[in-house]
Amino acid sequence: MLIAAAVYVMVVALLWLNQERIVFQPPSVSGLEVERVGGERVRHVPYRADDGTELFGFVVGEPDRAEQLLIAFHGNADLARLLIPWAQTVSRVAKVAVVLPELRGYDGLAGRPTYTDAARDAVAARDFVRNELSVSDNRVAYFGHSLGSAIAVELAGESLPTALLLQSPFSSARAMARRMAVPGLSIFWPVVSRVHYDTESRVRALSVPVSVAHGLRDMIVPAKMGKSVYEAAAVKGQLLLVPSAGHNDIAERAPTEYWNWFRAALDLGRRSSGQDARRES
C-alpha cells in the first residue's frame, strides 16, 4: 500500500510539474516550408505582448477591404504558418481577412508557452488587430481549433468578438485530465492544476453566437465534448457533426458542409453585430 501510494504521489507530482508541457507541444520547426509565407496576400507581422515578449503572426487577405476579420488560433502541436493555406481558403470562400497569431515558444519564438502567457499572447494579437490594423471590434470574429478553441473563448471573455467558431473544442482541461486515467486526478484538479481552461462554462456567459464543428471519429477530443460546449452556449450558432471525420480532417472529409458551416457562422456574427450597432445608435 505504501509503495502504491508513493507511486501515485510521484505520478501526480510529475503531472503537476509537466502539465503545461502536455497542454502545449510546439512542433519542431526544422524543415518547414518557409515559402508558404510568401505571396501578395500573406504578410508576416511582428508585435509584442505587454510583458515585452516579441511575437509575430500572419495576415492573410486585405483587412481594409474585407467585411470581417477572423483571428484564428491553432492547436497545441500546430503552427500558425502551417494554417496559411487553410486561411487563404477561408479568405476566398468566406470573404474575410484572417490573422494567424503565433504563441511564444512556437516556431522559433523565445519563451515557453504557459496557460497565463498564452492568454497574454492572445490579447497581444487582439490589440494588434485593433491598433495596428485599425479594425473595429464589430468586424472581428474568433476561430480556434482544439487548444486554440479554449484560447479563443478565454479571449472572448476579455474582448467580445462578433462570433466564435470552435473546431474540435474540449469542454474543459479538467475533463481532458479525466481521460488520462489517473484515479482521483479530477478530484484534486483544483489544487494541482495551473491550466484553467473551462470552455463549457465560459460560453454560458458570452452574448455572441457560438458555432461548433466536430468529427464523430475524433479520438483526441471526443465529439461529446464539442456537443456539450454547443449546448452550453448562451447564444447558439451553427453545429456541424461529421461522422467520417477525426480531430484534424473535418474540412477534408466534408468540404461542402464545412464551408457552409463556416459562412453561416460568420453571417450570424455579422447580423448580430449589426443589430447591436443599430440598438446603440
Side-chain angles (χ1 to χ4, degrees):
M1 291 290 292
L2 288 176
I3 293 174
V7 170
Y8 179 80
V9 170
M10 184 179 300
V11 169
V12 172
L14 287 172
L15 288 174
W16 183 84
L17 287 170
N18 295 291
Q19 60 188 275
E20 284 167 318
R21 292 186 179 181
I22 295 172
V23 173
F24 301 95
Q25 300 178 26
S28 171
V29 298
S30 61
L32 285 177
E33 298 179 26
V34 178
E35 62 267 21
R36 288 190 179 190
V37 308
E40 60 183 5
R41 301 192 67 220
V42 180
R43 286 188 291 142
H44 177 280
V45 291
Y47 52 91
R48 291 176 182 269
D50 63 8
D51 63 351
T53 299
E54 294 185 358
L55 302 168
F56 66 75
F58 301 95
V59 178
V60 179
E62 301 176 9
D64 293 340
R65 299 183 182 181
E67 187 173 345
Q68 256 188 324
L69 183 143
L70 184 71
I71 304 178
F73 297 95
H74 65 70
N76 71 334
D78 210 344
L79 295 173
R81 73 170 67 238
L82 298 182
L83 291 186
I84 289 173
W86 169 87
Q88 289 174 319
T89 303
V90 170
S91 181
R92 184 178 67 255
V93 171
K95 311 298 185 202
V96 298
V98 183
V99 169
L100 302 171
E102 194 52 276
L103 301 174
R104 69 187 67 195
Y106 281 75
D107 204 356
L109 284 171
R112 194 176 77 182
T114 66
Y115 169 78
T116 301
D117 286 336
R120 177 177 284 119
D121 295 351
V123 170
R126 184 66 184 85
D127 289 344
F128 169 80
V129 167
R130 182 183 290 123
N131 301 326
E132 300 300 323
L133 297 182
S134 300
V135 177
S136 60
D137 292 351
N138 64 357
R139 292 176 53 212
V140 178
Y142 302 160
F143 169 91
H145 174 241
S146 192
L147 173 63
S149 66
I151 294 172
V153 168
E154 293 219 336
L155 178 61
E158 300 291 328
S159 182
L160 205 63
T162 60
L164 274 166
L165 287 73
L166 310 179
Q167 184 172 328
S168 309
F170 56 89
S171 52
S172 69
R174 187 174 188 170
M176 288 297 288
R178 291 193 192 104
R179 291 175 55 77
M180 300 181 70
V182 178
L185 182 60
S186 178
I187 297 173
F188 301 132
W189 188 253
V191 177
V192 303
S193 176
R194 295 188 301 273
V195 178
H196 307 297
Y197 293 124
D198 192 346
T199 300
E200 183 176 340
S201 175
R202 293 182 189 279
V203 297
R204 292 192 178 101
L206 296 176
S207 58
V208 298
V210 176
S211 296
V212 172
H214 217 118
L216 294 182
R217 293 187 177 182
D218 192 331
M219 303 301 291
I220 297 174
V221 178
K224 66 181 181 180
M225 289 195 181
K227 294 177 188 177
S228 69
V229 169
Y230 180 77
E231 290 301 324
V235 183
K236 292 175 177 57
Q238 301 290 308
L239 175 64
L240 173 64
L241 300 174
V242 180
S244 62
H247 191 65
N248 297 310
D249 61 351
I250 296 176
E252 291 76 18
R253 292 288 183 176
T256 300
E257 294 85 349
Y258 179 77
W259 293 115
N260 285 342
W261 169 82
F262 216 103
R263 285 189 294 262
L266 288 173
D267 285 343
L268 279 174
R270 290 189 184 104
R271 292 198 297 270
S272 176
S273 62
Q275 290 169 1
D276 291 343
R278 285 194 293 273
R279 282 197 293 266
E280 291 173 3
S281 62

